[in-house]
Amino acid sequence: MRKKIMSGMRPTGKLHLGHYLGVIDNWVKLQDEYDCYFSVADWHALTTTYDKTENLRQDVLDVVMDWLACGIDPKKATIYVQSLVPETAELHIYLSMITPQNWVERDPTLKDMAKILKTKEGMGTQVNYGLMGYPVLMTADILTFNADFVPVGIDQVAHVELTRDIARRFNNVYNTEYFTEPQPLLNNCSLICGLDGNKMGKSFNNDIKISDTEEVTAKKIMTAITDRSRIRKDDLGHPDECEVAFKYWNIFGTEEEISTVRSECEQGLRGCAACKRQLGEKVLLEKLYINYFPFN
């Protein structure tokens, strides 16, 4: 019997290459090895955007379309919308009764989200009840399917540890072994920064969306930050100080291409503009592969 995996994403807009490289590409591989449950977490989206729901329905559709384009196969994995499984909400209530307040307050993602909210106009220091319950609802998502593993990055292991703590507490309180204590399944994935060198994200306007057209993608790549010390195209370059473009080459290029780019840059034989035009072609090939993945 195959082990079960559960994971999900909040529908906050069309997905970008960071989502693909950091999460979805790994999901595509896992669906051949595990029984996978992938959730479009619309309730989680409401914890911070409860007053902006006009695009939520379309955002849900956009997430699913991007998943399908990347190779998530409904014949291999279960794709579902969180709010269409009311049992998760019911389980969330029961779990909330046995979860100590300080367990929730120490969740690192909750702290990060609270900090972001405090910087938004009109939010002040206000944190709503739904956001406070975010970690417990996430636990309910996982335990609804009694998942054995949760694929996460190293910075998200604390989520799974909290889920394990709550599952163990439930089993102890009610003298049962009903809930599985899930294990984190660490992603071995490529991480990609935004075009400005910061974390890639829609809100930072520095992302390359999976659904961007070829023209839009090419234009965005041309805005990527390079080696700030270079003024003329024949100046000697420093690839390791290239803030974005060379990092992209390390992700999308072959070993031979990366070596060539490094050598030509260091010798002043490769200008940044020409380098980014060639890089744009590499990224477009990757996106073409993504969008036609289900038919390969």
Side-chain angles (χ1 to χ4, degrees):
M1 184 175 180
R2 297 208 303 182
K3 298 289 187 179
K4 287 182 284 188
I5 277 180
M6 188 276 153
S7 193
M9 285 186 181
R10 298 200 312 161
T12 56
K14 294 183 178 181
L15 304 182
H16 52 65
L17 289 182
H19 293 117
Y20 172 69
L21 293 169
V23 179
I24 307 173
D25 186 41
N26 189 47
W27 286 4
V28 171
K29 299 169 185 172
L30 292 174
Q31 67 182 351
D32 290 323
E33 305 174 38
Y34 300 90
D35 287 334
C36 294
Y37 297 86
F38 298 134
S39 166
V40 185
D42 53 341
W43 281 332
H44 285 301
L46 293 177
T47 59
T48 55
T49 59
Y50 56 85
D51 57 338
K52 299 178 179 66
T53 60
E54 60 274 9
N55 296 322
L56 184 56
R57 183 184 296 273
Q58 185 60 48
D59 287 343
V60 169
L61 293 174
D62 286 339
V63 167
V64 174
M65 286 190 289
D66 282 340
W67 285 358
L68 296 175
C70 291
I72 301 298
D73 188 344
K75 295 179 180 178
K76 298 179 180 179
T78 299
I79 298 173
Y80 70 98
V81 179
Q82 183 187 32
S83 62
L84 297 181
V85 184
E87 292 84 356
T88 298
E90 183 177 0
L91 179 57
H92 171 231
I93 292 174
Y94 292 132
L95 296 179
S96 69
M97 302 303 176
I98 65 162
T99 303
Q101 179 179 338
N102 65 322
W103 286 15
V104 173
E105 291 176 338
R106 73 189 184 206
D107 182 85
T109 297
L110 175 59
K111 292 179 181 178
D112 290 342
M113 293 177 71
K115 289 179 182 177
I116 293 172
L117 281 178
K118 288 179 182 180
T119 64
K120 289 187 176 181
E121 184 179 355
M123 294 303 296
T125 58
Q126 187 178 31
V127 175
N128 60 44
Y129 175 78
L131 181 56
M132 285 295 295
Y134 186 106
V136 184
L137 179 56
M138 187 177 297
T139 295
D141 290 324
I142 298 167
L143 297 186
T144 293
F145 300 98
N146 247 348
D148 298 286
F149 299 102
V150 182
V152 292
I154 189 67
D155 59 330
Q156 298 173 312
V157 170
H159 286 317
V160 186
E161 290 303 320
L162 177 60
T163 297
R164 288 170 54 79
D165 288 342
I166 294 175
R168 188 181 308 117
R169 181 172 173 81
F170 184 98
N171 289 342
N172 288 338
V173 168
Y174 297 109
N175 193 29
T176 182
E177 296 181 358
Y178 185 79
F179 286 123
T180 299
E181 294 181 26
Q183 298 286 341
L185 192 63
L186 291 178
N187 291 343
N188 294 315
C189 60
S190 300
L191 297 178
I192 185 169
C193 62
L195 295 163
D196 58 358
N198 296 309
K199 181 179 179 181
M200 182 174 284
K202 174 186 176 183
S203 58
F204 304 129
N205 196 32
N206 67 355
D207 62 340
I208 301 172
K209 293 181 175 60
I210 294 171
S211 56
D212 279 343
T213 64
E214 292 185 19
E215 181 181 4
V216 170
T217 300
K219 286 182 178 179
K220 285 185 175 182
I221 290 293
M222 293 304 294
T223 69
I225 296 175
T226 53
D227 179 357
R228 295 179 189 266
S229 69
R230 296 187 74 183
I231 299 176
R232 296 177 295 273
K233 67 178 182 180
D234 56 351
D235 286 343
L236 302 184
H238 310 87
D240 294 327
E241 296 178 16
C242 182
E243 296 184 37
V244 177
F246 192 66
K247 292 179 181 178
Y248 282 19
W249 273 111
N250 281 322
I251 293 173
F252 298 108
T254 64
E255 289 187 13
E256 181 179 356
E257 288 170 334
I258 295 169
S259 177
T260 298
V261 170
R262 174 182 287 278
S263 177
E264 292 180 354
C265 178
E266 291 175 337
Q267 296 178 66
L269 302 175
R270 170 181 289 260
C272 293
C275 184
K276 287 191 286 188
R277 280 194 290 271
Q278 186 181 2
L279 173 63
E281 294 174 1
K282 292 296 296 183
V283 175
L284 285 170
L285 283 174
E286 181 73 15
K287 280 166 54 62
L288 184 65
Y289 172 74
I290 291 172
N291 286 292
Y292 284 92
F293 192 112
F295 307 102
N296 288 341

